[in-house]
Amino acid sequence: MEMYRSHVLVCAGAGCISSDCKSVQQALLANINDLRLDNEVKVVETGCMGPCDLGPVVMVFPDGVFYRKLKPEDTREIVNEHLLKGKVVTRLLHSPVGSSEKVVSFNELEFFKRQTRIALRNTGVINPESVEEYIARDGYRALGKALSQMTPEEVVITIKESGLRGRGGAGFPTGLKWQFTAAAPGSPKYVVCNADEGDPGAFMDRSILEGDPHSVLEAMAICGYAIGANKGYIYVRAEYPLAVERLELAISKGREYGLLGENIFGTGFSFDVEIRVGAGAFVCGEETALLASIEGQRGEPRPKPPFPAQEGLWGKPTVINNVETLANIAQIVLNGAPWYASMGTEKSKGTKVFALAGKVNNTGLVEVPMGTTLREIIFDIGGGINGGKKFKAVQTGGPSGGCIPEAYLDTPVDYDSLNELGTIMGSGGMIIVDEDTCMVDLAKFFLDFVQDESCGKCAPCRIGTKRMLEILERITSGQGQEGDIELLEELSYGIKNSALCGLGQTAPNPVLSTLRYFRHEYEAHIRDHKCPAAACPELLTYYIDPRACKGCGVCSKACPSDAVIGEKKKPHTIDLNKCIKCGTCKQKCKFDAVITV
Amino acid sequence: MAEALTCDNRLTQEYLDIVDEIIKPYRGQPGNLIQVLHKAQSRVGFLPREVQVKVADGLGVPLTKVYGVVSFYSLFNTLPKGKHKITICAGTACYVRGAKQLINQLKEDMDLEPGGTTEDGMFSLDLVRCIGACGLGPVVTVDDEVHGKVHREKLTKIMAKYKEE
């Protein structure tokens, strides 16, 4: 076996790929080869490490030195100084927001220090294309334990007692789902992994699939054993081509090593997995729509009951679990239910992965125990709001969720506390917005999303959300009327109570939640024709600050409606009758002289 | 290997033969409809009626159902796309970080609207609901290349690079 004195882990998660980590990796390899260190130093391409904003990122082990925002030309110094002479390259280390001190090891960064990684245990640590590396980190040991030392019933009981709840959004107890399916009459039974991560702003499932695909396969096999199924399907969005590729590779390796397929570990248990790729329909994340899509049909939901546990794929009993839920399973089987249940809150056990995005400094993926407060997640781990702006709200649960304002930042996060605040855990996406975001506009964004993604089968969702969107468009363009807010509320409750599936039933949540905490913004739009966040273009008036204007003329040349007038080198003015409020002058001005009120 | 068709190409027998090859292993398996359509689109570039008829015959599915599936899923298109496919992520994270301005910019600079193709057939634009690179919003992809933290100047530069080719 080859031994290396140092391992260089290069993050190749989605974020780092878009920051061009590939060039960094190539340069690193070239420099290592130049100095003939390739027998001593191994470069490992891993899945997402988490701190997307700092990409491309690299960790050098055994010491765990963390380099960030690398350019290909930086790698020569890392190789010459660090890998050859053992001197850390201080210039490339990270200093957390608000501190000038450089931090050497990833363990010392708040971002990593405060995390407990169970679902993400291997993501960003191992090479996702190597089944050996997965096995070296206890991979497939849980499957072995379940098959050789546990009865199917014992597996179900373990998952039930762990308190694990579905990480896809609804939070249904996973063990119960398995129990119902195991007990349901009918054969064959199926295990389906819902990897149709459509909630905009959530990317933990993508990172797990790309960074640790075997953890999902192992869990599916364990589930198959527990419920008496021999076949599993993974339904992945087509927007995640790398996840599909990694899964395909993992499945073929799994078969080659006898970890999937016939007679696993010689126990007589057989289980195999197939991939189904979606085609861009958000509603397919809804379980009955997902099943229809696997069967090759339009992804339209159907009423429940019967639940998939009784009548699922091709009418047979089916367990549908989300990716992150499955990523916890092997660890629970190995370490036992009490271990998992010792973390978290009374009704929400274990850890949860959150995707931080929007106007926060440390965007990326973090995994923390349930019950961690929003403030810890957003400020201590997330590093607060970028650009010195003020926190306004955090949006959770995507199009089915809502917003939480500053007053509730100390709430411990779990399924129930978020419900009480009028939002949902959802899949764990957290979009942080600052004072520049208009809450009415944000609600409109979600309604527009839902309207676009509504499958059209039931009228409340198809027509109701359209009417709501029209009202929101009216309000944000300054045409709002008295009574619009009440009408929105009436429609919201009507749709919630009568829509066919989860998509429609939760579609009004973003409106109800912003009305609950930011009603004054709606009122300002309707009554005063003002957008308090200065974000709705049609409610803005553009002025040029005569003290800041240098009369360079860039804005008047750029103005599409010839509304900017003035002589060269003298302050310009905007003719409000001609101004179409496109904002071009403000974008073009180098002196910040164009202001909006 | 024939390249996927774009606006200025015509559907030829060669492409219909490719579709036949794609269908072969799935004959009489209606459950694989979506997978077959994916494969056909990736080779032909789009799913015109002629292709849909072949798929319907091959898998033993009524043509109405094939069309129903094609029109239901946003990633299937019945019209050819431009030479370079631009997508702007319209997920929440990208939205709050300025994706809307980028959409407006392409409209102003290139007269390119979501779902449309430029007159010269060089670029087509689609919006996508989150590609999962939320940490780096707003995100724009051109063909298979992903660009993060895109702003006005960066988008102009990216477009210039492809226009030169």
Side-chain angles (χ1 to χ4, degrees):
Chain A
M1 194 179 143
E2 302 133 343
M3 293 293 279
Y4 296 93
R5 66 174 167 85
S6 188
H7 286 80
V8 183
L9 272 50
V10 182
C11 175
C16 285
I17 288 178
S18 42
S19 314
D20 201 16
C21 63
K22 291 282 163 197
S23 311
V24 171
Q25 189 181 349
Q26 279 162 11
L28 192 61
L29 283 169
N31 282 315
I32 288 173
N33 285 338
D34 276 354
L35 291 181
R36 307 226 169 110
L37 292 175
D38 48 327
N39 291 326
E40 302 168 39
V41 178
K42 188 176 183 188
V43 175
V44 183
E45 185 182 316
T46 73
C48 179
M49 293 179 183
C52 304
D53 191 56
L54 300 177
V57 296
V58 158
M59 284 194 205
V60 182
F61 282 89
D63 7 17
V65 177
F66 178 77
Y67 294 119
R68 93 288 180 252
K69 291 193 181 175
L70 296 183
K71 298 205 166 51
E73 52 273 25
D74 294 330
T75 57
R76 173 160 285 272
E77 205 174 333
I78 293 178
V79 176
N80 282 344
E81 295 300 313
H82 188 153
L83 297 174
L84 193 64
K85 301 179 195 157
K87 280 193 272 184
V88 171
V89 186
T90 316
R91 158 179 99 76
L92 301 171
L93 296 172
H94 180 50
S95 9
V97 185
S99 149
S100 55
E101 207 177 310
K102 298 276 186 186
V103 175
V104 178
S105 163
F106 80 99
N107 277 322
E108 295 161 24
L109 284 167
E110 290 293 313
F111 183 85
F112 291 101
K113 208 159 67 177
R114 287 173 174 263
Q115 295 194 48
T116 308
R117 292 164 78 101
I118 297 171
L120 297 179
R121 63 192 178 276
N122 292 327
T123 309
V125 180
I126 63 168
N127 173 0
E129 299 192 350
S130 157
V131 62
E132 290 85 354
E133 291 197 18
Y134 179 70
I135 292 170
R137 291 186 47 96
D138 288 343
Y140 289 102
R141 246 186 72 203
L143 179 62
K145 180 179 172 186
L147 294 184
S148 60
Q149 297 167 33
M150 295 168 87
T151 63
E153 295 74 29
E154 282 169 349
V155 177
V156 171
I157 290 169
T158 302
I159 302 303
K160 247 175 89 174
E161 287 179 350
S162 74
L164 177 65
R165 293 169 67 174
R167 299 292 189 243
F172 190 81
T174 307
L176 269 186
K177 219 181 227 184
W178 290 21
Q179 187 184 23
F180 291 153
T181 315
S187 167
K189 294 178 183 177
Y190 295 102
V191 180
V192 170
C193 169
N194 183 347
D196 192 44
E197 183 177 49
D199 173 5
F203 50 102
M204 59 286 290
D205 292 352
R206 170 181 188 160
S207 294
I208 294 170
L209 294 171
E210 292 179 358
D212 193 17
H214 285 284
S215 70
V216 175
L217 299 179
E218 182 180 7
M220 288 178 76
I222 293 171
C223 177
Y225 173 70
I227 66 160
N230 301 113
K231 177 95 202 211
Y233 288 93
I234 304 181
Y235 186 87
V236 198
R237 318 171 66 197
E239 288 87 342
Y240 291 175
L242 184 62
V244 176
E245 198 185 306
R246 295 255 162 92
L247 277 171
E248 278 170 350
L249 186 73
I251 291 172
S252 75
K253 285 268 180 182
R255 285 180 189 147
E256 189 186 318
Y257 281 58
L259 303 163
L260 286 175
E262 299 291 318
N263 194 14
I264 297 171
F265 298 143
T267 57
F269 171 69
S270 303
F271 190 81
D272 209 353
V273 177
E274 250 185 65
I275 300 173
R276 284 285 187 270
V277 181
F282 175 71
V283 70
C284 286
E286 198 281 337
E287 52 186 13
T288 59
L290 184 145
L291 294 176
S293 189
I294 293 183
E295 293 171 7
Q297 308 186 37
R298 288 165 69 94
E300 288 176 355
R302 61 159 177 78
K304 293 186 282 190
F307 290 94
Q310 285 111 32
E311 284 180 34
L313 197 57
W314 290 296
K316 302 295 180 189
T318 304
V319 160
I320 305 173
N321 282 149
N322 152 276
V323 172
E324 189 192 331
T325 315
L326 289 168
N328 284 296
I329 297 290
Q331 287 292 300
I332 295 174
V333 170
L334 272 185
N335 300 319
W339 163 78
Y340 195 75
S342 70
M343 289 171 282
T345 61
E346 194 196 336
K347 289 185 179 159
S348 306
K349 299 300 183 191
T351 56
K352 175 80 192 85
V353 183
F354 293 102
L356 296 180
K359 310 275 186 70
V360 64
N361 275 314
N362 304 335
T363 56
L365 279 190
V366 300
E367 183 172 359
V368 290
M370 291 275 192
T372 306
T373 66
L374 285 167
R375 192 183 297 280
E376 283 174 84
I377 297 173
I378 298 166
F379 287 88
D380 297 345
I381 300 176
I385 310 302
N386 53 15
K389 298 265 182 177
K390 197 169 171 308
F391 172 87
K392 185 173 196 175
V394 50
Q395 208 282 341
T396 70
S400 303
C403 296
I404 304 167
E406 198 179 3
Y408 299 95
L409 274 178
D410 291 310
T411 309
V413 178
D414 69 10
Y415 290 99
D416 310 289
S417 67
L418 292 186
N419 282 350
E420 275 166 34
L421 293 177
T423 178
I424 61 165
M425 173 82 77
S427 49
M430 282 194 179
I431 314 273
I432 288 94
V433 297
D434 64 11
E435 52 197 327
D436 291 341
T437 301
C438 167
M439 301 313 275
V440 189
D441 185 63
L442 189 64
K444 187 180 83 175
F445 166 82
F446 282 116
L447 254 292
D448 184 52
F449 180 97
V450 170
Q451 177 50 208
D452 205 43
E453 296 293 342
S454 171
C455 76
K457 188 168 172 178
C458 76
C461 178
R462 184 182 70 240
I463 305 172
T465 58
K466 175 82 178 163
R467 293 290 94 85
M468 286 182 73
L469 177 62
E470 285 165 0
I471 297 170
L472 289 169
E473 277 171 347
R474 185 156 89 205
I475 296 174
T476 51
S477 64
Q479 311 292 317
Q481 303 155 7
E482 283 298 329
D484 272 353
I485 294 180
E486 291 72 20
L487 190 55
L488 277 175
E489 286 174 328
E490 191 190 330
L491 279 166
S492 295
Y493 291 114
I495 295 167
K496 271 176 91 77
N497 292 331
S498 58
L500 173 64
C501 80
L503 174 72
Q505 287 157 10
T506 58
N509 286 357
V511 173
L512 287 173
S513 143
T514 46
L515 273 173
R516 178 167 165 182
Y517 298 115
F518 299 96
R519 201 180 185 94
H520 55 277
E521 290 200 14
Y522 283 80
E523 290 167 351
H525 282 77
I526 296 173
R527 291 183 195 150
D528 312 330
H529 303 286
K530 288 270 180 240
C531 173
C536 294
E538 286 164 64
L539 295 179
L540 295 180
T541 312
Y542 285 84
Y543 287 108
I544 294 175
D545 181 353
R547 284 162 300 177
C549 178
K550 306 275 184 231
C552 69
V554 166
C555 58
S556 68
K557 269 193 217 107
C559 178
S561 62
D562 295 326
V564 187
I565 34 185
E567 287 174 41
K568 260 227 167 297
K569 295 191 176 165
K570 285 191 181 154
H572 285 41
T573 51
I574 296 175
D575 181 347
L576 296 180
N577 293 322
K578 283 188 181 170
C579 176
I580 56 165
K581 302 176 182 184
C582 65
T584 307
C585 52
K586 191 173 162 69
Q587 280 171 3
K588 293 275 178 184
C589 181
K590 288 182 187 130
F591 309 103
D592 292 329
V594 182
I595 43 176
T596 49
V597 280
Chain B
M1 191 169 103
E3 268 185 40
L5 291 169
T6 54
C7 292
D8 31 334
N9 306 121
R10 289 191 48 222
L11 187 72
T12 54
Q13 189 56 42
E14 187 191 358
Y15 284 93
L16 292 176
D17 291 343
I18 292 173
V19 175
D20 277 331
E21 280 303 307
I22 291 170
I23 295 169
K24 230 182 226 167
Y26 301 101
R27 280 204 173 276
Q29 297 176 29
N32 283 299
L33 177 56
I34 293 172
Q35 313 309 312
V36 171
L37 290 174
H38 266 307
K39 289 187 179 178
Q41 178 164 295
S42 77
R43 293 300 314 281
V44 182
F46 66 118
L47 298 168
R49 185 187 158 90
E50 294 87 334
V51 172
Q52 293 182 42
V53 169
K54 278 207 171 291
V55 172
D57 285 348
L59 269 62
V61 184
L63 180 60
T64 49
K65 203 179 151 192
V66 175
Y67 181 71
V69 166
V70 169
S71 58
F72 183 85
Y73 294 97
S74 64
L75 292 181
F76 293 138
N77 35 274
T78 51
L79 291 172
K81 292 281 169 186
K83 187 173 171 210
H84 297 295
K85 292 169 203 65
I86 308 170
T87 56
I88 296 183
C89 178
T92 328
C94 292
Y95 183 79
V96 301
R97 299 225 300 209
K100 196 159 71 173
Q101 282 83 326
L102 300 178
I103 298 168
N104 290 341
Q105 188 187 340
L106 287 187
K107 193 180 165 195
E108 279 166 30
D109 296 356
M110 294 162 67
D111 197 19
L112 183 55
E113 290 198 50
T117 305
T118 52
E119 232 167 61
D120 57 4
M122 276 294 279
F123 296 99
S124 52
L125 171 65
D126 281 295
L127 300 187
V128 54
R129 294 297 187 190
C130 197
I131 61 163
C134 312
L136 292 169
V139 177
V140 174
T141 69
V142 184
D143 301 330
D144 292 327
E145 220 168 297
V146 187
H147 305 271
K149 292 188 185 171
V150 181
H151 46 77
R152 194 176 182 88
E153 286 74 35
K154 191 164 173 185
L155 184 59
T156 309
K157 256 190 216 161
I158 296 169
M159 288 300 114
K161 194 182 107 190
Y162 283 94
K163 278 179 196 160
E164 269 171 28
E165 283 175 10

